[in-house]
Amino acid sequence: MENKPVTLKLIAKELKLSISTVSKSLKDYPRIKESTKQRVKELAARLNFTPDVSALRLRDRKSRIIGIILPNLSDHFFTRSIYGMEQLATTHGYNIIISQSHDNYEMEVMAAAALLGSRVDGLIVAISKQTADFAHLDRFEKIGIPVVYYTRNPSFNLNCHKVLSNTHQGCYMATEYLINRGHKKVAYLGGPKMVNFSHDRFSGYINALKDNNVAFNAAHVAYTDFDEENNLMAIKNLFNDYENSPTALVAFKEKLLFDTLRFLKSVDHPAYQSLECIGFGNDPIIAYLSSSPIASIEENPELLGEQAVSLVVKLINGEIDVNAYKKVIVNCNLKVHEAS
Amino acid sequence: MENKPVTLKLIAKELKLSISTVSKSLKDYPRIKESTKQRVKELAARLNFTPDVSALRLRDRKSRIIGIILPNLSDHFFTRSIYGMEQLATTHGYNIIISQSHDNYEMEVMAAAALLGSRVDGLIVAISKQTADFAHLDRFEKIGIPVVYYTRNPSFNLNCHKVLSNTHQGCYMATEYLINRGHKKVAYLGGPKMVNFSHDRFSGYINALKDNNVAFNAAHVAYTDFDEENNLMAIKNLFNDYENSPTALVAFKEKLLFDTLRFLKSVDHPAYQSLECIGFGNDPIIAYLSSSPIASIEENPELLGEQAVSLVVKLINGEIDVNAYKKVIVNCNLKVHEAS
DNA sequence: TTGAAAGCGGTACCAT
DNA sequence: ATGGTACCGCTTTCAA
């Protein structure tokens, strides 16, 4: 039961060698006597010597850390993203530090400050829904730390590197798929309207209508934030006109479809049995639902995460000019569910 | 567009002061002239000076980091745990580093090594399901870094600090609840049998039967790992005898109940309509299911996470003797669902 | 009121 | 083949 971390100094003293000889032995420097190397390595292994990363970072002025700021870990999209990021970061010799903003601006600012203190070599950030001021993030770029905006990014901000899934294409596919199944009344249930998170979903919907000569109906579009009450209100708005009720629905989150179906069932809405709907997600729970979406727009969070790491690493290495703003877009898949 | 991180040295040069004066100014040392302090603080703020944490850690020989190793982030139990850990760690002035083992032994060993290099002040670990050798974790305790085993812990290892939810009590409550509703044939569907993760669920089930004078029937007990195929097999085993089919079921994971209900429905099993079941979880998705558990055994991951941090911090501070092994048990709640 | 210097752990250049 | 030393950024004691 020792009590102090094992350092080179300790090993040196034990073996009556200098610190530099110990260091060189462990790194297999050529001009160290073989027998010395053996003695050092043996003791180091026995004591479980692990170099102090703080010391290494201080010396190298390189942390080999990529900072990640995400809204939360409850959303599977983000935890799956982390998996992809972790994988690719490791192959490039980087570690990641994960911070959650909990969709709160102040926490995001604090997380950014902490990562700055950790001297991360690069930053990947999915901004909180409150974020309107970007000073805390611009700070990184000012001192030469590349920032990649992930998934959520304000549309007005063109001067940044971004990695997004192609929600435009996703919505287009879904809408067209429903139209091709004969639907003329395809509704759209969108996310927070003000902040234009990610690529434009709504325009995918609209374009699919137009390209397929289906009339647009303003009554068939509603928006909601992530609040339960508002979700229900939006749903009611879409379906309150029984005469002219939608027969199909595209929603920006699958959960909204579950809510919709439950609501329609609860009020015995005539559209309940026949409504065909598609949303972003593909939650495995769909297999357990009695009435469920006919398809899902699948994003590829792992791939998206890898793309973000790949981009930020290239920026760190100077393989891409920091001022040549990149926009990486990953397409979605339409996953059609087997009839249950 | 600068390019180097802001250091005390930079500020000192800019202001023609010594590094130590700058440092003291920022920390409001009493004997620095007020006007000097102002000049320093003003420039530091303007340049967004953030102390390099690596330098601080090196100097303090304290990282103020708690390392966390978890199997994965897909399980909401763990992400909710992280929330509690994060909260309490912050109030104690600690940061956390999260590592995933992906339930893989080698990855767990690597994560442990990395955390050792980060000189974490304490470690909280939910071991992978492969972990049988604990050398990589014992290493921490050997050099005086306290380790707290979280949720998953091998029952044979008594000489360790642990924080667990009281799955015995949870299963007991659930079983008794079903018995009190008149069930005589309460089945039990358990997890991996060999590795005794966490407090004993099965004994909770058995004790509830005994205390309520309900006969134990070996045919009403089955086990499965986390594998889909085996899940189905275990379910079939429980329900293949139509004559003597269980009328109620307690399962170690709620998802198994979903699988069970789906299976019974698919084969038109006579027990389908009447089966009352309870499992660990309380997934919000229950609200959307047509046939669903009548209650859930709720663990309290946030509280459990807080308890783990609280314990590890006390161990770090020497408020608890490292050799006086603590076992913290958090009770479960039985959450009865409204009839749908 | 300010500054110089040592030291935290490690690396690498320069001596010997 | 090995050791001495400077340095990374920061704090703190001691000296001026």
Side-chain angles (χ1 to χ4, degrees), chain B residues 18 21 24 31 33 36 58-59 61:
Chain B
S18 75
T21 303
K24 289 172 190 164
R31 6 238 291 208
K33 207 190 343 181
T36 308
L58 196 56
R59 179 164 210 293
R61 300 150 69 68

PDB file of all heavy atoms in Angstrom, chain B residues 18 21 24 31 33 36 58-59 61, chain C residues 1-5 7-10:
ATOM      1  N   SER B  18       6.621  41.317 -13.634  1.00  0.00           N
ATOM      2  CA  SER B  18       7.113  39.943 -13.519  1.00  0.00           C
ATOM      3  C   SER B  18       5.922  38.982 -13.532  1.00  0.00           C
ATOM      4  O   SER B  18       4.790  39.365 -13.246  1.00  0.00           O
ATOM      5  CB  SER B  18       7.884  39.767 -12.223  1.00  0.00           C
ATOM      6  OG  SER B  18       6.983  39.699 -11.145  1.00  0.00           O
ATOM      7  N   THR B  21       4.116  38.790 -10.193  1.00  0.00           N
ATOM      8  CA  THR B  21       3.221  39.902  -9.899  1.00  0.00           C
ATOM      9  C   THR B  21       1.887  39.729 -10.629  1.00  0.00           C
ATOM     10  O   THR B  21       0.825  39.986 -10.074  1.00  0.00           O
ATOM     11  CB  THR B  21       3.863  41.234 -10.329  1.00  0.00           C
ATOM     12  OG1 THR B  21       5.119  41.373  -9.673  1.00  0.00           O
ATOM     13  CG2 THR B  21       2.972  42.400  -9.961  1.00  0.00           C
ATOM     14  N   LYS B  24      -0.093  37.067  -8.822  1.00  0.00           N
ATOM     15  CA  LYS B  24      -0.664  37.567  -7.569  1.00  0.00           C
ATOM     16  C   LYS B  24      -1.790  38.556  -7.803  1.00  0.00           C
ATOM     17  O   LYS B  24      -2.786  38.566  -7.075  1.00  0.00           O
ATOM     18  CB  LYS B  24       0.438  38.230  -6.736  1.00  0.00           C
ATOM     19  CG  LYS B  24       1.425  37.248  -6.153  1.00  0.00           C
ATOM     20  CD  LYS B  24       2.586  37.988  -5.523  1.00  0.00           C
ATOM     21  CE  LYS B  24       3.712  37.054  -5.152  1.00  0.00           C
ATOM     22  NZ  LYS B  24       4.963  37.793  -4.909  1.00  0.00           N
ATOM     23  N   ARG B  31      -0.788  42.563  -1.035  1.00  0.00           N
ATOM     24  CA  ARG B  31       0.253  43.599  -1.126  1.00  0.00           C
ATOM     25  C   ARG B  31       0.605  44.029  -2.545  1.00  0.00           C
ATOM     26  O   ARG B  31       1.711  44.502  -2.788  1.00  0.00           O
ATOM     27  CB  ARG B  31       1.526  43.154  -0.416  1.00  0.00           C
ATOM     28  CG  ARG B  31       1.517  41.724   0.092  1.00  0.00           C
ATOM     29  CD  ARG B  31       1.745  41.704   1.540  1.00  0.00           C
ATOM     30  NE  ARG B  31       3.106  42.094   1.869  1.00  0.00           N
ATOM     31  CZ  ARG B  31       3.713  41.655   2.951  1.00  0.00           C
ATOM     32  NH1 ARG B  31       3.086  40.790   3.742  1.00  0.00           N
ATOM     33  NH2 ARG B  31       4.915  42.085   3.257  1.00  0.00           N
ATOM     34  N   LYS B  33      -0.228  46.623  -5.548  1.00  0.00           N
ATOM     35  CA  LYS B  33      -0.873  47.937  -5.691  1.00  0.00           C
ATOM     36  C   LYS B  33      -2.190  47.778  -6.451  1.00  0.00           C
ATOM     37  O   LYS B  33      -2.266  47.025  -7.417  1.00  0.00           O
ATOM     38  CB  LYS B  33       0.054  48.893  -6.438  1.00  0.00           C
ATOM     39  CG  LYS B  33      -0.191  50.339  -6.083  1.00  0.00           C
ATOM     40  CD  LYS B  33       0.541  51.329  -6.978  1.00  0.00           C
ATOM     41  CE  LYS B  33       1.673  50.766  -7.780  1.00  0.00           C
ATOM     42  NZ  LYS B  33       2.350  51.808  -8.602  1.00  0.00           N
ATOM     43  N   THR B  36      -2.095  48.329 -10.142  1.00  0.00           N
ATOM     44  CA  THR B  36      -1.451  47.236 -10.890  1.00  0.00           C
ATOM     45  C   THR B  36      -2.438  46.109 -11.105  1.00  0.00           C
ATOM     46  O   THR B  36      -2.588  45.583 -12.207  1.00  0.00           O
ATOM     47  CB  THR B  36      -0.240  46.710 -10.105  1.00  0.00           C
ATOM     48  OG1 THR B  36       0.612  47.805  -9.760  1.00  0.00           O
ATOM     49  CG2 THR B  36       0.527  45.702 -10.932  1.00  0.00           C
ATOM     50  N   LEU B  58      -0.062  19.803 -12.330  1.00  0.00           N
ATOM     51  CA  LEU B  58       1.307  19.389 -12.109  1.00  0.00           C
ATOM     52  C   LEU B  58       1.807  19.975 -10.792  1.00  0.00           C
ATOM     53  O   LEU B  58       2.424  19.303  -9.978  1.00  0.00           O
ATOM     54  CB  LEU B  58       2.157  19.916 -13.273  1.00  0.00           C
ATOM     55  CG  LEU B  58       3.522  19.289 -13.445  1.00  0.00           C
ATOM     56  CD1 LEU B  58       3.386  17.776 -13.579  1.00  0.00           C
ATOM     57  CD2 LEU B  58       4.181  19.866 -14.686  1.00  0.00           C
ATOM     58  N   ARG B  59       1.506  21.203 -10.613  1.00  0.00           N
ATOM     59  CA  ARG B  59       1.982  21.892  -9.416  1.00  0.00           C
ATOM     60  C   ARG B  59       1.299  21.371  -8.154  1.00  0.00           C
ATOM     61  O   ARG B  59       1.949  21.094  -7.152  1.00  0.00           O
ATOM     62  CB  ARG B  59       1.713  23.385  -9.573  1.00  0.00           C
ATOM     63  CG  ARG B  59       2.150  24.125  -8.372  1.00  0.00           C
ATOM     64  CD  ARG B  59       2.279  25.586  -8.564  1.00  0.00           C
ATOM     65  NE  ARG B  59       3.325  26.038  -7.673  1.00  0.00           N
ATOM     66  CZ  ARG B  59       3.203  26.021  -6.358  1.00  0.00           C
ATOM     67  NH1 ARG B  59       2.097  25.590  -5.797  1.00  0.00           N
ATOM     68  NH2 ARG B  59       4.191  26.428  -5.589  1.00  0.00           N
ATOM     69  N   ARG B  61      -0.239  18.606  -7.698  1.00  0.00           N
ATOM     70  CA  ARG B  61      -0.230  17.138  -7.532  1.00  0.00           C
ATOM     71  C   ARG B  61      -1.613  16.672  -7.084  1.00  0.00           C
ATOM     72  O   ARG B  61      -1.748  15.749  -6.297  1.00  0.00           O
ATOM     73  CB  ARG B  61       0.841  16.731  -6.524  1.00  0.00           C
ATOM     74  CG  ARG B  61       2.255  17.172  -6.970  1.00  0.00           C
ATOM     75  CD  ARG B  61       3.161  17.457  -5.820  1.00  0.00           C
ATOM     76  NE  ARG B  61       3.524  16.262  -5.083  1.00  0.00           N
ATOM     77  CZ  ARG B  61       4.291  15.301  -5.561  1.00  0.00           C
ATOM     78  NH1 ARG B  61       4.776  15.408  -6.771  1.00  0.00           N
ATOM     79  NH2 ARG B  61       4.588  14.255  -4.846  1.00  0.00           N
TER      80      ARG B  61
ATOM     81  P    DT C   1       1.266  49.157  -1.269  1.00  0.00           P
ATOM     82  OP1  DT C   1       0.175  49.980  -1.752  1.00  0.00           O
ATOM     83  OP2  DT C   1       0.985  48.037  -0.355  1.00  0.00           O
ATOM     84  O5'  DT C   1       2.052  48.535  -2.513  1.00  0.00           O
ATOM     85  C5'  DT C   1       2.609  49.422  -3.446  1.00  0.00           C
ATOM     86  C4'  DT C   1       3.696  48.687  -4.124  1.00  0.00           C
ATOM     87  O4'  DT C   1       4.482  47.994  -3.134  1.00  0.00           O
ATOM     88  C3'  DT C   1       3.224  47.582  -5.087  1.00  0.00           C
ATOM     89  O3'  DT C   1       3.471  48.052  -6.408  1.00  0.00           O
ATOM     90  C2'  DT C   1       4.064  46.346  -4.734  1.00  0.00           C
ATOM     91  C1'  DT C   1       5.116  46.906  -3.790  1.00  0.00           C
ATOM     92  N1   DT C   1       5.560  45.959  -2.729  1.00  0.00           N
ATOM     93  C2   DT C   1       6.833  45.442  -2.816  1.00  0.00           C
ATOM     94  O2   DT C   1       7.601  45.710  -3.722  1.00  0.00           O
ATOM     95  N3   DT C   1       7.183  44.580  -1.793  1.00  0.00           N
ATOM     96  C4   DT C   1       6.394  44.214  -0.712  1.00  0.00           C
ATOM     97  O4   DT C   1       6.819  43.436   0.146  1.00  0.00           O
ATOM     98  C5   DT C   1       5.083  44.795  -0.676  1.00  0.00           C
ATOM     99  C7   DT C   1       4.139  44.479   0.438  1.00  0.00           C
ATOM    100  C6   DT C   1       4.712  45.627  -1.678  1.00  0.00           C
ATOM    101  P    DT C   2       3.301  47.139  -7.663  1.00  0.00           P
ATOM    102  OP1  DT C   2       3.365  47.999  -8.860  1.00  0.00           O
ATOM    103  OP2  DT C   2       2.127  46.279  -7.431  1.00  0.00           O
ATOM    104  O5'  DT C   2       4.601  46.241  -7.613  1.00  0.00           O
ATOM    105  C5'  DT C   2       5.786  46.705  -8.244  1.00  0.00           C
ATOM    106  C4'  DT C   2       6.880  45.686  -8.079  1.00  0.00           C
ATOM    107  O4'  DT C   2       6.840  45.116  -6.765  1.00  0.00           O
ATOM    108  C3'  DT C   2       6.808  44.498  -9.031  1.00  0.00           C
ATOM    109  O3'  DT C   2       7.789  44.699 -10.033  1.00  0.00           O
ATOM    110  C2'  DT C   2       7.094  43.275  -8.165  1.00  0.00           C
ATOM    111  C1'  DT C   2       7.542  43.888  -6.839  1.00  0.00           C
ATOM    112  N1   DT C   2       7.202  43.107  -5.635  1.00  0.00           N
ATOM    113  C2   DT C   2       8.185  42.400  -4.995  1.00  0.00           C
ATOM    114  O2   DT C   2       9.351  42.367  -5.374  1.00  0.00           O
ATOM    115  N3   DT C   2       7.784  41.726  -3.870  1.00  0.00           N
ATOM    116  C4   DT C   2       6.497  41.683  -3.340  1.00  0.00           C
ATOM    117  O4   DT C   2       6.258  41.045  -2.323  1.00  0.00           O
ATOM    118  C5   DT C   2       5.508  42.443  -4.049  1.00  0.00           C
ATOM    119  C7   DT C   2       4.109  42.478  -3.570  1.00  0.00           C
ATOM    120  C6   DT C   2       5.890  43.120  -5.165  1.00  0.00           C
ATOM    121  P    DG C   3       7.953  43.645 -11.204  1.00  0.00           P
ATOM    122  OP1  DG C   3       8.539  44.366 -12.355  1.00  0.00           O
ATOM    123  OP2  DG C   3       6.686  42.910 -11.348  1.00  0.00           O
ATOM    124  O5'  DG C   3       9.070  42.675 -10.621  1.00  0.00           O
ATOM    125  C5'  DG C   3      10.249  43.251 -10.088  1.00  0.00           C
ATOM    126  C4'  DG C   3      11.201  42.162  -9.645  1.00  0.00           C
ATOM    127  O4'  DG C   3      10.734  41.594  -8.385  1.00  0.00           O
ATOM    128  C3'  DG C   3      11.315  40.977 -10.613  1.00  0.00           C
ATOM    129  O3'  DG C   3      12.671  40.575 -10.625  1.00  0.00           O
ATOM    130  C2'  DG C   3      10.421  39.916  -9.969  1.00  0.00           C
ATOM    131  C1'  DG C   3      10.657  40.191  -8.488  1.00  0.00           C
ATOM    132  N9   DG C   3       9.567  39.786  -7.620  1.00  0.00           N
ATOM    133  C8   DG C   3       8.230  40.083  -7.763  1.00  0.00           C
ATOM    134  N7   DG C   3       7.487  39.600  -6.801  1.00  0.00           N
ATOM    135  C5   DG C   3       8.385  38.935  -5.971  1.00  0.00           C
ATOM    136  C6   DG C   3       8.162  38.214  -4.772  1.00  0.00           C
ATOM    137  O6   DG C   3       7.090  38.027  -4.187  1.00  0.00           O
ATOM    138  N1   DG C   3       9.349  37.701  -4.261  1.00  0.00           N
ATOM    139  C2   DG C   3      10.584  37.857  -4.827  1.00  0.00           C
ATOM    140  N2   DG C   3      11.606  37.288  -4.189  1.00  0.00           N
ATOM    141  N3   DG C   3      10.811  38.540  -5.953  1.00  0.00           N
ATOM    142  C4   DG C   3       9.669  39.046  -6.470  1.00  0.00           C
ATOM    143  P    DA C   4      13.218  39.699 -11.760  1.00  0.00           P
ATOM    144  OP1  DA C   4      13.935  40.568 -12.703  1.00  0.00           O
ATOM    145  OP2  DA C   4      12.126  38.827 -12.229  1.00  0.00           O
ATOM    146  O5'  DA C   4      14.277  38.798 -10.977  1.00  0.00           O
ATOM    147  C5'  DA C   4      14.553  39.052  -9.609  1.00  0.00           C
ATOM    148  C4'  DA C   4      15.044  37.782  -8.919  1.00  0.00           C
ATOM    149  O4'  DA C   4      14.002  37.275  -8.033  1.00  0.00           O
ATOM    150  C3'  DA C   4      15.391  36.607  -9.840  1.00  0.00           C
ATOM    151  O3'  DA C   4      16.469  35.913  -9.228  1.00  0.00           O
ATOM    152  C2'  DA C   4      14.096  35.810  -9.879  1.00  0.00           C
ATOM    153  C1'  DA C   4      13.592  35.987  -8.453  1.00  0.00           C
ATOM    154  N9   DA C   4      12.142  35.962  -8.285  1.00  0.00           N
ATOM    155  C8   DA C   4      11.190  36.536  -9.081  1.00  0.00           C
ATOM    156  N7   DA C   4       9.956  36.378  -8.651  1.00  0.00           N
ATOM    157  C5   DA C   4      10.106  35.651  -7.481  1.00  0.00           C
ATOM    158  C6   DA C   4       9.173  35.161  -6.545  1.00  0.00           C
ATOM    159  N6   DA C   4       7.864  35.352  -6.645  1.00  0.00           N
ATOM    160  N1   DA C   4       9.662  34.472  -5.492  1.00  0.00           N
ATOM    161  C2   DA C   4      10.990  34.287  -5.395  1.00  0.00           C
ATOM    162  N3   DA C   4      11.962  34.704  -6.206  1.00  0.00           N
ATOM    163  C4   DA C   4      11.439  35.387  -7.246  1.00  0.00           C
ATOM    164  P    DA C   5      17.104  34.626  -9.893  1.00  0.00           P
ATOM    165  OP1  DA C   5      18.523  34.595  -9.466  1.00  0.00           O
ATOM    166  OP2  DA C   5      16.728  34.559 -11.327  1.00  0.00           O
ATOM    167  O5'  DA C   5      16.326  33.478  -9.108  1.00  0.00           O
ATOM    168  C5'  DA C   5      16.289  33.503  -7.680  1.00  0.00           C
ATOM    169  C4'  DA C   5      15.688  32.212  -7.172  1.00  0.00           C
ATOM    170  O4'  DA C   5      14.241  32.328  -7.122  1.00  0.00           O
ATOM    171  C3'  DA C   5      15.975  30.996  -8.055  1.00  0.00           C
ATOM    172  O3'  DA C   5      16.101  29.864  -7.220  1.00  0.00           O
ATOM    173  C2'  DA C   5      14.739  30.893  -8.936  1.00  0.00           C
ATOM    174  C1'  DA C   5      13.664  31.299  -7.928  1.00  0.00           C
ATOM    175  N9   DA C   5      12.454  31.844  -8.529  1.00  0.00           N
ATOM    176  C8   DA C   5      12.323  32.505  -9.724  1.00  0.00           C
ATOM    177  N7   DA C   5      11.097  32.898  -9.989  1.00  0.00           N
ATOM    178  C5   DA C   5      10.368  32.455  -8.888  1.00  0.00           C
ATOM    179  C6   DA C   5       9.012  32.550  -8.563  1.00  0.00           C
ATOM    180  N6   DA C   5       8.110  33.157  -9.339  1.00  0.00           N
ATOM    181  N1   DA C   5       8.622  32.013  -7.386  1.00  0.00           N
ATOM    182  C2   DA C   5       9.539  31.423  -6.599  1.00  0.00           C
ATOM    183  N3   DA C   5      10.849  31.267  -6.809  1.00  0.00           N
ATOM    184  C4   DA C   5      11.197  31.820  -7.975  1.00  0.00           C
ATOM    185  P    DG C   7      14.047  22.999  -5.344  1.00  0.00           P
ATOM    186  OP1  DG C   7      14.407  22.533  -3.988  1.00  0.00           O
ATOM    187  OP2  DG C   7      14.977  22.839  -6.477  1.00  0.00           O
ATOM    188  O5'  DG C   7      12.671  22.333  -5.756  1.00  0.00           O
ATOM    189  C5'  DG C   7      11.494  22.663  -5.029  1.00  0.00           C
ATOM    190  C4'  DG C   7      10.302  22.379  -5.897  1.00  0.00           C
ATOM    191  O4'  DG C   7      10.107  23.485  -6.822  1.00  0.00           O
ATOM    192  C3'  DG C   7      10.442  21.121  -6.780  1.00  0.00           C
ATOM    193  O3'  DG C   7       9.368  20.245  -6.514  1.00  0.00           O
ATOM    194  C2'  DG C   7      10.393  21.649  -8.206  1.00  0.00           C
ATOM    195  C1'  DG C   7       9.623  22.942  -8.034  1.00  0.00           C
ATOM    196  N9   DG C   7       9.824  23.906  -9.090  1.00  0.00           N
ATOM    197  C8   DG C   7      10.987  24.173  -9.778  1.00  0.00           C
ATOM    198  N7   DG C   7      10.843  25.090 -10.701  1.00  0.00           N
ATOM    199  C5   DG C   7       9.503  25.443 -10.620  1.00  0.00           C
ATOM    200  C6   DG C   7       8.753  26.384 -11.372  1.00  0.00           C
ATOM    201  O6   DG C   7       9.144  27.113 -12.292  1.00  0.00           O
ATOM    202  N1   DG C   7       7.430  26.430 -10.957  1.00  0.00           N
ATOM    203  C2   DG C   7       6.886  25.659  -9.947  1.00  0.00           C
ATOM    204  N2   DG C   7       5.610  25.837  -9.690  1.00  0.00           N
ATOM    205  N3   DG C   7       7.572  24.779  -9.230  1.00  0.00           N
ATOM    206  C4   DG C   7       8.867  24.726  -9.621  1.00  0.00           C
ATOM    207  P    DC C   8       9.625  18.693  -6.771  1.00  0.00           P
ATOM    208  OP1  DC C   8       9.757  18.023  -5.469  1.00  0.00           O
ATOM    209  OP2  DC C   8      10.661  18.545  -7.811  1.00  0.00           O
ATOM    210  O5'  DC C   8       8.263  18.243  -7.430  1.00  0.00           O
ATOM    211  C5'  DC C   8       7.001  18.593  -6.889  1.00  0.00           C
ATOM    212  C4'  DC C   8       6.001  18.695  -8.009  1.00  0.00           C
ATOM    213  O4'  DC C   8       6.162  19.977  -8.653  1.00  0.00           O
ATOM    214  C3'  DC C   8       6.268  17.683  -9.129  1.00  0.00           C
ATOM    215  O3'  DC C   8       5.492  16.510  -8.877  1.00  0.00           O
ATOM    216  C2'  DC C   8       5.774  18.403 -10.390  1.00  0.00           C
ATOM    217  C1'  DC C   8       5.705  19.880  -9.981  1.00  0.00           C
ATOM    218  N1   DC C   8       6.554  20.803 -10.800  1.00  0.00           N
ATOM    219  C2   DC C   8       5.984  21.939 -11.371  1.00  0.00           C
ATOM    220  O2   DC C   8       4.785  22.173 -11.184  1.00  0.00           O
ATOM    221  N3   DC C   8       6.761  22.765 -12.130  1.00  0.00           N
ATOM    222  C4   DC C   8       8.058  22.475 -12.315  1.00  0.00           C
ATOM    223  N4   DC C   8       8.778  23.308 -13.063  1.00  0.00           N
ATOM    224  C5   DC C   8       8.648  21.321 -11.726  1.00  0.00           C
ATOM    225  C6   DC C   8       7.867  20.521 -10.994  1.00  0.00           C
ATOM    226  P    DG C   9       6.110  15.104  -9.136  1.00  0.00           P
ATOM    227  OP1  DG C   9       5.170  14.118  -8.604  1.00  0.00           O
ATOM    228  OP2  DG C   9       7.500  15.126  -8.665  1.00  0.00           O
ATOM    229  O5'  DG C   9       6.141  14.993 -10.719  1.00  0.00           O
ATOM    230  C5'  DG C   9       4.939  14.715 -11.427  1.00  0.00           C
ATOM    231  C4'  DG C   9       5.263  14.491 -12.879  1.00  0.00           C
ATOM    232  O4'  DG C   9       5.819  15.699 -13.428  1.00  0.00           O
ATOM    233  C3'  DG C   9       6.304  13.394 -13.126  1.00  0.00           C
ATOM    234  O3'  DG C   9       5.843  12.615 -14.216  1.00  0.00           O
ATOM    235  C2'  DG C   9       7.571  14.158 -13.452  1.00  0.00           C
ATOM    236  C1'  DG C   9       7.023  15.421 -14.109  1.00  0.00           C
ATOM    237  N9   DG C   9       7.850  16.605 -13.987  1.00  0.00           N
ATOM    238  C8   DG C   9       8.691  16.929 -12.958  1.00  0.00           C
ATOM    239  N7   DG C   9       9.297  18.079 -13.119  1.00  0.00           N
ATOM    240  C5   DG C   9       8.812  18.557 -14.333  1.00  0.00           C
ATOM    241  C6   DG C   9       9.098  19.760 -15.027  1.00  0.00           C
ATOM    242  O6   DG C   9       9.845  20.675 -14.698  1.00  0.00           O
ATOM    243  N1   DG C   9       8.383  19.841 -16.213  1.00  0.00           N
ATOM    244  C2   DG C   9       7.504  18.891 -16.673  1.00  0.00           C
ATOM    245  N2   DG C   9       6.908  19.141 -17.826  1.00  0.00           N
ATOM    246  N3   DG C   9       7.240  17.753 -16.033  1.00  0.00           N
ATOM    247  C4   DG C   9       7.919  17.663 -14.874  1.00  0.00           C
ATOM    248  P    DG C  10       6.655  11.370 -14.691  1.00  0.00           P
ATOM    249  OP1  DG C  10       5.671  10.316 -14.927  1.00  0.00           O
ATOM    250  OP2  DG C  10       7.807  11.131 -13.794  1.00  0.00           O
ATOM    251  O5'  DG C  10       7.237  11.838 -16.092  1.00  0.00           O
ATOM    252  C5'  DG C  10       6.338  12.232 -17.098  1.00  0.00           C
ATOM    253  C4'  DG C  10       7.038  13.089 -18.109  1.00  0.00           C
ATOM    254  O4'  DG C  10       7.626  14.209 -17.443  1.00  0.00           O
ATOM    255  C3'  DG C  10       8.207  12.406 -18.834  1.00  0.00           C
ATOM    256  O3'  DG C  10       7.772  12.105 -20.155  1.00  0.00           O
ATOM    257  C2'  DG C  10       9.331  13.427 -18.848  1.00  0.00           C
ATOM    258  C1'  DG C  10       8.707  14.664 -18.217  1.00  0.00           C
ATOM    259  N9   DG C  10       9.599  15.390 -17.329  1.00  0.00           N
ATOM    260  C8   DG C  10      10.038  15.014 -16.081  1.00  0.00           C
ATOM    261  N7   DG C  10      10.815  15.900 -15.521  1.00  0.00           N
ATOM    262  C5   DG C  10      10.907  16.915 -16.458  1.00  0.00           C
ATOM    263  C6   DG C  10      11.616  18.142 -16.418  1.00  0.00           C
ATOM    264  O6   DG C  10      12.327  18.579 -15.506  1.00  0.00           O
ATOM    265  N1   DG C  10      11.431  18.881 -17.576  1.00  0.00           N
ATOM    266  C2   DG C  10      10.659  18.483 -18.641  1.00  0.00           C
ATOM    267  N2   DG C  10      10.603  19.313 -19.667  1.00  0.00           N
ATOM    268  N3   DG C  10       9.995  17.349 -18.700  1.00  0.00           N
ATOM    269  C4   DG C  10      10.159  16.624 -17.575  1.00  0.00           C
TER     270       DG C  10
END
